[in-house]
Every structure is written in C-alpha cells, then in structure tokens.
Amino acid sequence: MGEALAAFVEEAQHIFEHFEPTTVFSIGPWDVTQYVVWLFIGFFVTLAVVLVAAKNSKLVPDNKFVNIVEFGYDFVSKNIGEDVIGSGFKQHVPFLATLFFFILVCNVLGLVPGFKTSTGTISCTWALSVISFVYFLYWGMKENGLLKYWVTLCPHGVPKPMAPIIWFLELFSTMIRVLTLAVRLYGNMLAGHMILGVFGIATSTFVLYAVMSATSAVAAVATGATSVVWFLLLVIMYALECLVAFLQAFVFAILSSSYISGAVHPH
C-alpha cells in the first residue's frame, strides 16, 4: 500500500506536464500545438452537427439527433437570447448558438479518452473571448453610435463630480471582460481534466501494485480495494465533468449575451 501511494504521489506531481502545449507541426513561423489541432477538429465536428441537423430538419421532427440539436438551439434562443437581451435578441441568436455549440462540442471531445480539449488551454479560450468582446463592442457602437456608446458607460443620474470616476470604473469593467471570459473557461476545464487525470493515475497505479507488487494476500486485497475506491471517484468525477462541459458552454454564452445586452441597451 505504501509503495503504491508513493508511486502515485510521484507521478501525480508531474500531471501538469501532460497538459502543456506541444508543437505538432509548423507552418512557417507558426507552431501548431495539439490544442490548435483539436480546436479545428471541434470546428469541423460542430459544422457537421449543424449541417446534418439542418439537412434532416422537418416541420415535425422524427429524428432524435435533430430533436436534440433543435432543442439546443431553442434553449439558446429563449434562455440565453430572449431572457437576457430582450428586444432585438433574434439577430444575436446565431452568434450565441455558435458559441454555445462550439464550446460544448470542444468540451465533450475532451471527455473522450485520448482526446484533448481545446478549451483547456488559455490561448484557445482567449481567442473565443476576443471574438465575443469584439462582437458586443461592435453592436454597442452600431446601435448607439461610436461616441454615445462610450459616453453612456456611466449610468444616468450619477452626480457630476462622481461621473468621471464611475465612467473609468465602467470602462475598466468592460475591458477586463475579455480576460475574465477566457480565464473562467480555461480554468474550469483544465482543473476538471487535471482531477480526472489524478484519479486515473491513482486507479491505474493501485491496480498495478495490487497485481504485480503485493507481497501478501492481505496487501493485495487492501491495495485492490483502494483502487476500486479511486475508480469510483473517477466515475463520479467523470459524470460531474459531463455536466461541467455543458455548464461552461452555457456560462460563456450567457455572459456574452449579458454583455451584448448591456452594449445595445445602455444605462
């Protein structure tokens, strides 16, 4: 038991190395990491899902796959678009649905053993957050005018001596959103997969020592029983990560929707 625990601790200390970006191939000065590759795989899978669902859509759907995709789109339209943005939400639903489905697909792909989640690296989540950031700024300036949008960052009714301070704080809050969106998604996905990795290492290590290194039947049973506990924790955590995969896609989309709402309907 002690040897198995020591081996587990030793290997777990280097768990982060398995998640570090590594160059798969290079295109000129651009090094393409495994996460970029999986980002494009996520894009093509998302595109295939949407195209197949659109091709097989009917007035009265009779295909479960199409039903699921349509339910997802309706969910985004009502719960993320209409409930958050309000008037004029329909023109933003395609963008929000794209964010939701793409992030969900990337998260789910990362749950397949041997696959990587592109949302588990800051560079990919940073790219997604920049897209969301540029989108809501564009619509804010388009709906309200370039100057008016930035002026109305300060809410109406603020005392004039306080207005510059409040405006600066609102500007800082707006600018920092590009960072918080990226870090929130990256941190949650990376942490979850690292925990899965730790539980997976624990399970395999204790099973190995139960089979190969136990010096007595008692030690073998104890080590084997411990590996079962680790495996159960792994299963529970895996189920939780399936929920997190959906929740993080939802959170990213609904925060983007909230930012769009604030941009097109200023204070």
Side-chain angles (χ1 to χ4, degrees), residues 2-255:
E3 292 181 357
L5 183 60
F8 158 63
V9 172
E10 174 65 24
E11 191 169 352
Q13 288 177 343
H14 304 285
I15 186 67
F16 186 73
E17 297 175 2
H18 298 284
F19 295 91
E20 290 182 342
T22 56
T23 301
V24 179
F25 60 90
S26 298
I27 303 176
W30 183 36
D31 293 333
V32 180
T33 68
Q34 77 273 35
Y35 290 110
V36 175
V37 172
W38 282 103
L39 190 72
F40 280 98
I41 292 174
F43 164 73
F44 287 117
V45 172
T46 305
L47 184 63
V49 167
V50 173
L51 291 179
V52 170
K55 183 178 180 181
N56 294 279
S57 61
K58 299 178 181 179
L59 185 60
V60 181
D62 56 0
N63 184 291
K64 291 184 179 179
F65 173 76
V66 176
N67 285 343
I68 292 173
V69 176
E70 289 189 355
F71 174 80
Y73 188 85
D74 290 339
F75 172 80
V76 173
S77 178
K78 178 171 177 56
N79 297 89
I80 298 178
E82 184 178 7
D83 290 352
V84 178
I85 299 175
S87 61
F89 76 94
K90 289 185 178 180
Q91 61 188 336
H92 304 293
V93 171
F95 173 74
L96 295 171
T98 301
L99 278 181
F100 175 78
F101 279 108
F102 177 70
I103 295 173
L104 180 60
V105 167
C106 289
N107 292 349
V108 170
L109 285 175
L111 292 173
V112 179
F115 288 15
K116 294 288 184 180
T117 173
S118 54
T119 48
T121 180
I122 190 65
S123 59
C124 293
T125 59
W126 183 265
L128 290 170
S129 67
V130 168
I131 291 171
S132 177
F133 181 76
V134 171
Y135 183 90
F136 79 75
L137 283 184
Y138 167 78
W139 277 99
M141 291 184 286
K142 180 179 180 180
E143 293 291 326
N144 302 286
L146 178 60
L147 181 61
K148 183 180 177 182
Y149 171 74
W150 294 106
V151 170
T152 54
L153 287 177
C154 180
H156 296 296
V158 175
K160 289 185 178 181
M162 292 292 296
I165 299 175
I166 299 300
W167 183 88
F168 176 78
L169 292 175
E170 288 291 334
L171 176 64
F172 178 78
S173 175
T174 300
M175 294 296 108
I176 203 69
R177 289 170 182 173
V178 68
L179 175 63
T180 56
L181 273 176
V183 172
R184 182 182 291 105
L185 179 59
Y186 158 71
N188 280 282
M189 298 312 300
L190 178 63
H193 282 76
M194 287 187 68
I195 293 174
L196 287 178
V198 169
F199 287 169
I201 290 172
T203 302
S204 59
T205 300
F206 277 84
V207 168
L208 178 64
Y209 273 80
V211 174
M212 303 295 296
S213 302
T215 56
S216 66
V218 175
V221 170
T223 307
T226 305
S227 69
V228 172
V229 174
W230 280 114
F231 178 74
L232 291 175
L233 291 173
L234 175 62
V235 172
I236 293 171
M237 189 61 200
Y238 188 87
L240 181 60
E241 277 300 296
C242 291
L243 177 61
V244 170
F246 168 80
L247 288 178
Q248 288 306 311
F250 171 74
V251 168
F252 196 100
I254 202 167
L255 285 176

